[in-house]
Amino acid sequence: MAKVLELQFLNQENKTVTIRLDAPIEPVDPAAVNAAMDTVIAQNIFTSSGGNYTSKKGARIVDREVSEIDL
């Protein structure tokens, strides 16, 4: 199983932009995630085709299981 922490932001065009971080430390600390997202927005660390990140939309852990098929 592969787990990914997704940080979702809105940009200047009000479109969702997602940053994906592989293998997050669990349990995830919501306060640390919130603080990190605030820092990303405040310092304009990243930008997108729709402009700077303007607000937080959400954060989530995505758990993906891949099963190979023998052919």
Side-chain angles (χ1 to χ4, degrees):
M1 280 191 253
K3 291 189 178 183
V4 176
L5 173 61
E6 291 188 346
L7 306 177
Q8 299 174 320
F9 299 88
L10 294 176
N11 64 18
Q12 291 173 315
E13 292 182 351
N14 208 35
K15 293 185 179 178
T16 301
V17 182
T18 304
I19 298 173
R20 291 176 180 83
L21 304 168
D22 292 333
I25 296 172
E26 292 189 88
V28 173
D29 180 358
V33 171
N34 194 38
M37 292 178 78
D38 286 340
T39 300
V40 167
I41 294 168
Q43 295 186 7
N44 286 324
I45 294 173
F46 300 104
T47 188
S48 67
S49 59
N52 293 332
Y53 297 4
T54 58
S55 63
K56 295 177 282 190
K57 182 176 180 183
R60 62 187 180 184
I61 295 285
V62 176
D63 191 357
R64 181 177 63 122
E65 183 176 336
V66 177
S67 299
E68 296 292 329
I69 299 173
D70 293 326
L71 300 177

